[in-house]
C-alpha cells in the first residue's frame, strides 16, 4: 500500500482569515486528524478535552482535542483534531475526510468526492 500526502488549509472558523497550509498524511485508518500543537495554538484553536488513544503497537497515549476547520479545493468542514506533540505525525483522519465530503481513492492515491447518500 502506498502513502498519500495532501496540502490542507487549517483555520479556527469557516470565515477565519488566519490560516495555515499543512501537509498531511492521509490515514483512512485513523478517526481523528492530528495537527501540530504549535500550529493550532498560532491559529487560536484551543483544546476542549483530553482523550486516551491506543497506538498500533498497543501502547497508550493521551492527547488533547479541539475543533478546527479544514479546507481542501474549496470544500470547508469542521472536525475534531488532535493537538499533536513533538514526534507525532501530521495526519488527516476519516472524520475530517467525511466532514469535507471526501474519500481516499486507494488506487490513484488521491482525494475525490465522496458519493453522498440520503436514506
Amino acid at each position: 500500500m502506498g502513502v498519500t500526502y495532501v496540502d490542507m488549509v487549517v483555520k479556527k472558523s469557516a470565515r477565519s482569515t488566519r490560516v495555515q497550509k499543512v501537509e498531511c498524511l492521509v490515514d483512512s485508518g485513523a478517526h481523528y486528524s492530528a495537527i501540530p500543537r504549535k500550529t493550532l495554538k498560532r491559529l487560536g484553536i484551543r483544546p476542549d478535552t483530553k482523550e486516551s488513544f491506543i497506538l498500533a503497537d498497543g501502547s497508550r497515549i493521551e492527547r488533547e482535542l479541539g475543533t478546527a476547520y479544514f479546507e481542501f479545493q474549496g470544500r470547508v468542514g469542521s472536525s475534531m483534531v488532535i493537538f499533536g506533540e513533538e514526534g507525532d505525525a501530521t495526519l488527516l483522519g476519516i472524520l475530517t475526510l467525511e466532514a469535507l465530503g471526501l474519500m481516499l481513492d486507494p488506487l490513484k492515491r488521491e482525494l475525490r468526492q465522496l458519493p453522498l447518500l440520503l436514506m
Side-chain angles (χ1 to χ4, degrees):
M1 168 161 307
V3 295
T4 304
Y5 287 91
V6 294
D7 287 330
M8 191 67 50
V9 172
V10 182
K11 51 191 173 179
K12 183 177 180 176
S13 70
R15 292 188 168 85
S16 181
T17 57
R18 190 176 358 163
V19 302
Q20 179 71 49
K21 187 188 283 189
V22 180
E23 183 182 56
C24 298
L25 169 64
V26 181
D27 186 349
S28 58
H31 283 92
Y32 297 108
S33 294
I35 303 295
R37 172 180 295 282
K38 291 188 305 188
T39 301
L40 296 173
K41 188 175 179 180
R42 188 170 40 251
L43 293 170
I45 299 170
R46 294 190 172 105
D48 299 317
T49 188
K50 185 182 265 191
E51 293 291 340
S52 180
F53 296 92
I54 299 173
L55 302 179
D57 67 0
S59 62
R60 188 176 294 269
I61 61 169
E62 283 195 351
R63 293 290 184 271
E64 292 182 311
L65 286 103
T67 302
Y69 280 76
F70 293 81
E71 184 175 344
F72 183 79
Q73 295 181 349
R75 295 173 164 273
V76 178
S78 66
S79 179
M80 292 293 288
V81 61
I82 295 171
F83 281 67
E85 300 295 342
E86 185 88 20
D88 290 353
T90 302
L91 301 175
L92 184 63
I94 194 70
L95 295 177
T96 304
L97 287 174
E98 288 178 353
L100 293 166
L102 298 170
M103 63 181 276
L104 175 63
D105 181 330
L107 299 177
K108 295 183 179 177
R109 294 183 11 205
E110 62 188 22
L111 298 184
R112 62 182 177 102
Q113 186 172 346
L114 177 68
L116 301 176
L117 302 174
L118 183 60
M119 297 179 162

